[in-house]
Amino acid sequence: PRPNPTPLSPPASSLPPSSPLSAMAPSPSDLAPDAPDVLRVLQSRRDNKMCFDCATRNPTWASANFGIFICLDCSGRHRQLGTHITFVRSALMDKWSRKDLEKMRAGGNARATKFFRDNGGPAGAEKLEAKYTGRAATMYKKLLDKEADAALSASDAATTPEIDMAALKDEIDGTVVIKPQPAPSPPPPAPSPSPPASASATPPVRSPPAMSPPPPAAASGAFSITARQRPRGKKSALGAARKVYNNSAPPPAIAEEGAEEVSAVERGRA
């Protein structure tokens, strides 16, 4: 039968302020508000889906010092070693500080396993105290601690506004330097109002609109004849004499010929 795990203490967030474990809880200014989302993403990785010590599936506890995920049983064994060796936190219930969360980001079960093997540390859970107090474990804790500090420094530098060193020196020395302000540009001149027109003023003379030139007159000898069916016999001469002239008199020769034909017709009627 499996031995009963060591009774676990309640999360530090639920302890009264006088409890010794409550002193290890992160301060409100150092809390990581995105810890649940970050830990959920880290737990979804393939290497973090098994306990680092005993390979139990879906661990929900973690050791912040080493950036690893462990199961419930192994978390009780870690607590027996002391918080100065391994600091156990719940990935679901506890509140996380920014630095502990950065250690979990930098670590992971796969990276810890490779580092322990490369540096001669045990990878199993048979000798838990020797595993987490040996040379490889000490080196790995210091490595994660430095990486977490560097990540926090870079994050704070990115969000910290730039400091005016000259103003800071003036404030320390107790002197106030008034910087000259540029002179404002003069406003543009207002347009002068036009004088009102007086009643006695002579109205302006308007020139008449330009007239288009008349069309050119036809030539003196041009005329048109309305053509009709010429009568047979004697009336043909009278019909030929009917002419319409376009603003001009017919030539003299044509006028005399028409007159003779008219007189001949009248004599015939008589």
Side-chain angles (χ1 to χ4, degrees), residues 139-152:
M139 292 173 57
Y140 191 62
K141 279 201 304 184
K142 291 183 178 180
L143 175 64
L144 291 184
D145 194 71
K146 291 182 179 180
E147 291 182 357
D149 289 338
L152 291 177

Side-chain angles (χ1 to χ4, degrees), residues 54-234:
C54 65
T56 301
R57 299 183 63 85
N58 301 323
T60 58
W61 292 80
S63 173
N65 305 62
F66 297 95
I68 56 176
F69 287 93
I70 54 179
C71 66
L72 178 63
D73 294 344
C74 293
S75 67
R77 301 175 64 185
H78 275 250
R79 289 183 185 274
Q80 291 180 351
L81 298 177
T83 55
H84 64 287
I85 296 177
T86 170
F87 183 42
V88 179
R89 307 293 290 169
S90 173
L92 304 177
M93 296 181 293
D94 286 333
K95 295 181 179 180
W96 287 70
S97 66
R98 297 173 57 199
K99 186 171 183 178
D100 290 341
L101 189 62
E102 289 298 333
K103 290 180 182 179
M104 296 300 297
R105 282 176 172 169
N109 290 6
R111 184 183 181 187
T113 301
K114 185 178 184 304
F115 189 91
F116 273 64
R117 288 177 179 174
D118 294 345
N119 293 274
E126 290 79 11
K127 298 179 180 180
L128 200 64
E129 184 175 1
K131 177 179 180 179
Y132 290 105
T133 57
R135 178 176 173 272
T138 304
M139 292 173 57
Y140 191 62
K141 279 201 304 184
K142 291 183 178 180
L143 175 64
L144 291 184
D145 194 71
K146 291 182 179 180
E147 291 182 357
D149 289 338
L152 291 177
S153 300
S155 177
D156 294 341
T159 57
T160 302
E162 185 178 357
I163 300 175
D164 189 354
M165 297 305 298
L168 183 60
K169 291 179 180 180
D170 296 337
E171 183 179 354
I172 294 174
D173 298 337
T175 58
V176 179
V177 178
I178 301 177
K179 297 181 179 180
Q181 299 293 334
S185 57
S192 57
S194 57
S198 60
S200 61
T202 305
V205 180
R206 297 183 178 179
S207 59
M211 303 295 293
S212 58
S220 60
F223 65 94
S224 61
I225 302 174
T226 303
R228 291 186 178 182
Q229 186 177 3
R230 297 176 62 87
R232 295 182 180 181
K234 297 181 180 181

